[in-house]
Amino acid sequence: MAPALFACAWGGNHFTPLLLLYRQVEGYSAVVVDLFFGVYVLGVIPGFLLAGPLSDRLGRKRPVVVAVVLGMAASAVLAAGAGGAVLMCAGRFLAGLSVATAMVVGTSWVEELSSTPWDDVDPPRRARRAALVLTAGFGLGAGASGALAQWGPAPTVLPYAVQSLLALVALVPLLTAPETRPRDPARPDEPLTRARVAAAAAEVLADLRVPRRVQRRFVGVVLPAAPWVFGSAALAYAVAPSLVVGRVGDLAVAAAALLCVVGLGVGALVQPWVPVLARLSGGRQLVVGMGAAVLGTGLVALLAARPSVPLALVVAAVLGVAYGVVLVAGLVEVQALATPRDLGALTGWYYSATYLGFLLPEALSLSAPLAGEPARLLGVLALALVCAGLVAAGLRRPAATRVP
């Protein structure tokens, strides 16, 4: 199922380097373009919250198949709607649903396929497998789409056609992948009735609750760090490119793609080293990741005051470290807290919180009348410092005991 996860991640992030293209070619304002970037979250969050508990009950394969098909539909709508804001928002919403479903269900599926009887690896490696596939899809999708948009024909169509082809190819191995959570034979298929739908909805809503035994650890450690996964990524490849657009001439799209690839590439490279970092830091790898987020945010504020392409590359690399470390460390925390019954739901809550970081560029655009760019980014830096402090304080408290 890794190709399906890769194709959906590709479809989620290949839009990012095209942000500057839509401003230049279609004449959209910065606020509208950042809205396209942010409306993605409106599809992501319900996808995360519903796909997890549904897959806990219905199995992993069917939701991932739906995610791949939704990704293809999103690419088709985006390719057709470059000149219309409504279609662009619709396409981004569908892309959010696709990525959310693939991420939360796919991560749970990878975790289970990495366990007996299919495989037997330690929990940190299970988390890294899913994180690496996702990061590869996010990074390669952005790089390829940026290159196609900069130098290829039909720049607002070809990137989406490539993603649709990848998704179609990924469906082939997906259909033969083993199901790790088959339907309960004690609950056979029955005709849908209003009472059955209401009962199923009540069960899903009940599954959305974070178990009381893990609430303190989840709220005190996981949630303050989670938005900085994609908050760091958004600063690296949505905010930083706009700060150096005057320094790259006609290569704005290619430069945005390069910063995206650098950030996500560094994020992928550091992920296998998170267990080493955990040993060196005494289990405080999440604090180290938040430290990188704080440093990277400060460098973005410096970049706003003194635009420089070399500095932008450094910013992308530092924020890539934050992205990679916080993503894997957060997944390890979630998988340590979860049982098989609530793994999908807890993973959905975690990913929902990570994607709140994608609202950061829109918040910065909307607050433009209030202060200059460096001052607004210093405000983001202050927020990062607060979150890092909360994580450090939360890790000093004992972890919850996992109940099978």
Side-chain angles (χ1 to χ4, degrees), residues 172-196:
V172 178
L174 176 63
L175 295 176
T176 59
E179 175 60 79
T180 55
R181 286 191 67 83
R183 289 179 63 89
D184 186 348
R187 301 178 66 175
D189 290 331
E190 300 172 0
L192 286 178
T193 64
R194 182 176 299 178
R196 189 175 175 218

Side-chain angles (χ1 to χ4, degrees), residues 100-127:
T101 304
M103 284 180 69
V104 69
V105 181
T107 297
S108 301
W109 202 2
V110 168
E111 198 271 346
E112 290 163 348
L113 288 172
S114 300
S115 308
T116 306
W118 296 279
D119 203 346
D120 188 16
V121 300
D122 56 277
R125 283 185 62 196
R126 297 175 199 170

Side-chain angles (χ1 to χ4, degrees), residues 135 225-241 243 259-271 288-304 311-327 357 360-361 364 377 380-381 384:
T135 301
W228 297 98
V229 173
F230 291 114
S232 297
L235 288 172
Y237 54 66
V239 175
L243 299 178
L259 291 176
C260 192
V261 170
V262 168
L264 292 172
V266 171
L269 289 174
V270 302
Q271 286 172 14
V288 176
M290 288 302 299
V294 168
L295 176 59
T297 305
L299 290 174
V300 175
L302 178 61
L303 182 68
L311 178 57
L313 291 170
V314 173
V315 165
V318 173
L319 290 168
V321 171
Y323 160 82
V325 174
V326 177
L327 174 61
L360 193 52
L364 286 169
L377 287 165
V380 177
L381 174 61

